[in-house]
Amino acid sequence: MYAFNYHRPSSVAEAVKLLKSSPDGRCLAGGMSLIPTMKHRLASAADLVDLNGIKELAYIKRDGDALVFGALARHVEIADSADVKKSIPALAALAASVGDPQVRNRGTFCGSLCFADPAADCPAGLVGLNGTVLTDKRRIAADKFFNGLYETTLEKGEIVIGISFPIPEKAGWAKFANLASRFAIAAVMVAKTGGEVRVAVTGAKASVFRVPEMEAALAKNFSAAALDGIKVSSTDMNNDLHGDPDYRAHLVGVMAKRAVQTAMG
Ligand SMILES: Cc1cc2nc3c(=O)[nH]c(=O)nc-3n(C[C@H](O)[C@H](O)[C@H](O)COP(=O)(O)OP(=O)(O)OC[C@H]3O[C@@H](n4cnc5c(N)ncnc54)[C@H](O)[C@@H]3O)c2cc1C
């Protein structure tokens, strides 16, 4: 690990100031992705700004027609939250499917979004449920947040402070996980919100993506049968030891149907 300065601010304002004054500062949330990457010297930071002392970021709440949580909401808290289970059970299911208990106890939904791992579950949750990323300076729509493999549209030093989700009428999550890492080989979040249907896929390409043909079919008829005959193209799908593009394209179809069935209860 390269040497770094460690900071533990107690407010967002203090964290922003620390990041602004550093040539190469990074936030630390659960550390589940950042610390191993730093240990392998694949990432470095002159200053590590630990968000864990900022109490205002640790919350999950229902706020009118939205479910909102802070940057320190951990996977286990989202999975176990009565508010999440009641308003968006598919999001609780997604959080419960992340990694193992150790990862869920430390890792945060927002940290996962910021890391933008192509096999992570949270990006599909954000895009499928049409969430909004709240930062220290703006609101970023789900479709504008990711910028490819491990890339987001966050600016240097910008801090994600939370996420807001509209409450869907129906939503379902289905994941085909790598049995060793629990990361997705292909996973799908399907949601119907205010008449709009979204189908967001993770694990299958370099970044989360939507499937417009499925969305159009489900908007007309929200049932698994509506997806019969829709072939997902294998172009640009990941090709690794866990599955080739054709296998992944097939999995997306199967997971999408399962997600719809889950959404239908
Ligand atoms: C063994 C293992 C299995 C896993 N399995 C899965 C899985 O099945 N599914 C899955 O989705 N994930 C999985 N993960 C990843 C896990 O979900 C992590 O929690 C997540 O990727 C990162 O969250 P974190 O809070 O630990 O972030 P950190 O590691 O602390 O940070 C990750 C990156 O985000 C930045 N960052 C963090 N928070 C903020 C913020 N608020 N504002 C701006 N930047 C920020 C950091 O600077 C860093 O670049 C796994 C990880 C491990 C180690």
Side-chain angles (χ1 to χ4, degrees):
M1 199 181 253
Y2 295 104
F4 57 86
N5 300 310
Y6 174 80
H7 308 271
R8 193 174 165 97
S10 54
S11 71
V12 172
E14 202 187 328
V16 169
K17 205 168 152 197
L18 283 163
L19 286 169
K20 269 198 182 140
S21 64
S22 170
D24 176 22
R26 275 178 191 257
C27 296
L28 173 70
M32 291 292 100
S33 298
L34 183 57
I35 298 296
T37 316
M38 289 179 72
K39 277 186 167 172
H40 287 106
R41 295 193 167 195
L42 296 169
S44 62
D47 295 272
L48 212 51
V49 178
D50 185 348
L51 303 178
N52 288 280
I54 308 179
K55 302 289 172 251
E56 67 196 91
L57 298 180
Y59 70 91
I60 298 174
K61 65 177 183 192
R62 174 85 189 242
D63 185 12
D65 288 342
L67 178 77
V68 192
F69 53 77
L72 285 179
R74 302 188 196 275
H75 303 304
V76 68
E77 293 162 345
I78 296 166
D80 291 350
S81 158
D83 280 337
V84 180
K85 283 185 189 167
K86 192 167 173 214
S87 45
I88 318 183
L91 190 58
L94 179 154
S97 78
V98 170
D100 48 47
Q102 288 85 348
V103 170
R104 292 195 292 276
N105 280 333
R106 292 298 306 164
T108 64
F109 192 98
C110 292
S112 174
L113 297 182
C114 296
F115 198 64
D117 187 309
D121 303 309
C122 305
L126 178 74
V127 173
L129 293 163
N130 199 14
T132 301
V133 179
L134 316 171
T135 82
D136 62 295
K137 46 174 99 157
R138 59 189 168 135
R139 298 165 65 90
I140 308 175
D143 291 336
K144 305 255 182 222
F145 187 74
F146 298 102
N147 211 5
L149 192 69
Y150 297 110
E151 290 277 339
T152 69
T153 54
L154 286 174
E155 291 164 9
K156 188 180 171 308
E158 189 169 12
I159 301 180
V160 171
I161 56 170
I163 313 280
S164 172
F165 294 99
I167 308 292
E169 290 151 50
K170 296 177 185 129
W173 170 246
K175 171 175 174 178
F176 193 84
N178 174 324
L179 291 181
S181 72
R182 309 305 303 168
F183 273 103
I185 297 176
V188 177
M189 176 65 82
V190 171
K192 184 173 187 193
T193 315
E196 185 199 32
V197 176
R198 284 176 165 246
V199 177
V201 182
T202 191
K205 289 191 181 181
S207 191
V208 59
F209 63 96
R210 292 171 60 188
V211 189
E213 307 90 308
M214 288 185 172
E215 293 178 351
L218 291 170
K220 283 192 202 137
N221 171 15
F222 197 87
S223 72
L227 301 181
D228 283 344
I230 297 182
K231 283 248 174 299
V232 178
S233 164
S234 60
T235 307
D236 298 333
M237 291 252 172
N238 296 338
N239 190 2
D240 56 28
L241 78 168
H242 306 303
D244 67 15
D246 289 338
Y247 178 63
R248 278 194 159 88
H250 174 73
L251 269 185
V252 171
V254 176
M255 290 303 113
K257 281 189 174 182
R258 284 190 195 167
V260 173
Q261 280 159 352
T262 309
M264 301 298 285

